[in-house]
């Protein structure tokens, strides 16, 4: 005898949750560009998409290019011609978000770099999170702090620093006044420019994941710790490699879990 009454429809199994986009700003490192960073992280993007599919999260990654074009002499380990000949006219497709003034520690061009990121956020219709590598990881920390809003982090007085106030305001407006849900930093470090010290006091409250390379000689662990220690409850993962973004599935899994925790799980709790 059937347990279902004649003519009664069997209860439907709940379907998968509706798909939800997770918009992520991808910030490349010094001497890179958006297209190159995308090529280097293509495997990460594919693995992340597969890992988030069971919970119907669909990552949408955006890859802007820094506004400051670099010359060969700006490259690390550059050596001028031994015979004193003029540098070639070759201009590589290498860019930065700013240049550091070694005498003052200030970041020349940071206003242009942040304006470019504000434009990318605006064009995306706002973003949920950010992933940055090296100088881009430093920029990700700046972005996370700047977007936390006036209640936690009042803007600097424009009478004292109108440039910083202008780009921080542009970033907040571009993201609709919303803070980031997460910030992921690969081989990053805290910004040394004294003009952005206000972004780290109080500490960054945005959830952060810091991925370090145990063999990284370009940005060693002590330098990465300067940003880690400026964040509340940071999560730190170390891979057995050098100065790069690890794209193997085993190293994308912590990233997927972190995004799930701060996007999917938190939204479920808010609906209870």
């Amino acid at each position: 005898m059937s347990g279902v009454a004649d003519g009664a429809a069997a209860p439907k199994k709940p379907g998968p949750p509706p798909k939800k986009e997770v918009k992520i700003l991808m910030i490349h490192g010094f001497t890179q560009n958006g297209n190159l960073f995308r090529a280097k992280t293509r495997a990460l993007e594919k693995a992340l998409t597969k890992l988030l599919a069971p919970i119907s999260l669909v990552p949408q990654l955006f890859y802007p290019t820094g506004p400051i074009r670099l010359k060969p002499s700006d490259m690390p380990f550059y050596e001028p011609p031994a015979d004193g000949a003029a540098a070639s006219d070759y201009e590589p497709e290498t860019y930065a978000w700013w240049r550091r003034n070694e005498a003052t520690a200030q970041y020349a061009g940071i206003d242009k770099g942040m304006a470019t990121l504000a434009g990318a956020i605006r064009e995306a219709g706002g973003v949920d999170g950010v992933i940055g590598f090296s100088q881009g990881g430093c920029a990700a920390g700046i972005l996370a702090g700047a977007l936390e809003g006036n209640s936690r982090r009042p803007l600097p007085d424009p009478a004292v620093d109108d440039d910083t106030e202008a780009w921080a305001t542009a970033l907040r407006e571009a993201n609709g006044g919303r803070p980031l849900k997460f910030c992921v930093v690969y081989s990053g470090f805290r910004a040394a420019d004294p003009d952005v010290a206000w972004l780290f006091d109080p500490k960054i409250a945005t959830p952060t994941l810091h991925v370090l390379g145990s063999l990284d000689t370009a940005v060693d662990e002590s330098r990465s710790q300067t940003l880690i220690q400026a964040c509340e409850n940071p999560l730190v993962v170390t891979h057995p490699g050098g100065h790069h973004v690890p794209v193997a599935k085993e190293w994308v899994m912590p990233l997927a879990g972190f995004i799930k925790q701060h996007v999917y799980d938190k939204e479920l709790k808010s609906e209870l």
Side-chain angles (χ1 to χ4, degrees):
M1 182 176 178
S2 171
V4 179
D6 292 343
K12 293 183 179 180
K13 294 181 179 180
K19 291 184 177 181
K20 174 181 172 57
E21 286 188 350
V22 182
K23 296 181 181 180
I24 306 173
L25 190 67
M26 303 289 291
I27 310 180
H28 67 75
F30 189 74
T31 77
Q32 293 184 332
N33 60 58
N35 289 335
L36 177 61
F37 192 39
R38 183 168 193 171
K40 287 180 174 292
T41 57
R42 182 78 74 178
L44 178 148
E45 183 176 358
K46 290 181 178 179
L48 185 62
T49 299
K50 289 182 179 179
L51 289 167
L52 294 178
I55 54 173
S56 296
L57 291 184
V58 182
Q60 296 292 321
L61 278 52
F62 302 89
Y63 291 82
T65 291
I68 300 174
R69 189 163 190 165
L70 301 173
K71 300 175 294 186
S73 58
D74 294 318
M75 304 298 113
F77 313 115
Y78 169 78
E79 293 184 5
D83 59 2
S88 71
D89 293 332
Y90 170 64
E91 293 187 2
E93 291 291 323
T94 51
Y95 295 82
W97 301 102
W98 59 77
R99 283 193 182 93
R100 173 173 170 155
N101 182 316
E102 296 298 332
T104 65
Q106 290 179 309
Y107 291 169
I110 189 174
D111 54 335
K112 295 178 181 177
M114 293 300 112
T116 298
L117 293 176
I121 292 170
R122 190 180 304 108
E123 186 175 342
V127 296
D128 299 295
V130 61
I131 295 176
F133 168 66
S134 197
Q135 188 189 69
C138 178
I142 291 173
L143 206 63
L147 290 176
E148 288 187 340
N150 276 326
S151 59
R152 179 173 181 81
R153 205 174 303 282
L155 292 168
D157 185 346
V160 177
D161 188 351
D162 57 343
D163 287 343
T164 301
E165 190 271 343
W167 61 251
T169 298
L171 285 170
R172 292 180 179 183
E173 291 176 349
N175 214 41
R178 299 183 301 273
L180 296 175
K181 295 177 181 178
F182 61 89
C183 171
V184 181
V185 178
Y186 289 89
S187 298
F189 49 91
R190 174 175 167 166
D193 187 335
D195 290 340
V196 298
W198 63 282
L199 294 172
F200 307 102
D201 185 15
K203 291 185 175 183
I204 293 172
T206 301
T208 57
L209 167 63
H210 305 260
V211 184
L212 315 181
S214 63
L215 301 179
D216 192 339
T217 57
V219 177
D220 62 24
E221 182 179 354
S222 63
R223 193 176 181 197
S224 289
Q225 282 290 340
T226 60
L227 180 55
I228 293 168
Q229 293 172 12
C231 300
E232 291 185 355
N233 304 313
L235 177 62
V236 181
V237 172
T238 302
H239 67 90
H243 193 62
H244 66 270
V245 176
V247 298
K249 183 179 177 181
E250 64 181 301
W251 298 109
V252 181
M253 289 178 69
L255 170 64
F258 184 72
I259 293 174
K260 175 182 179 293
Q261 177 185 357
H262 294 289
V263 177
Y264 182 78
D265 294 351
K266 283 189 177 179
E267 289 192 1
L268 278 183
K269 290 180 181 179
S270 69
E271 293 172 0
L272 296 179

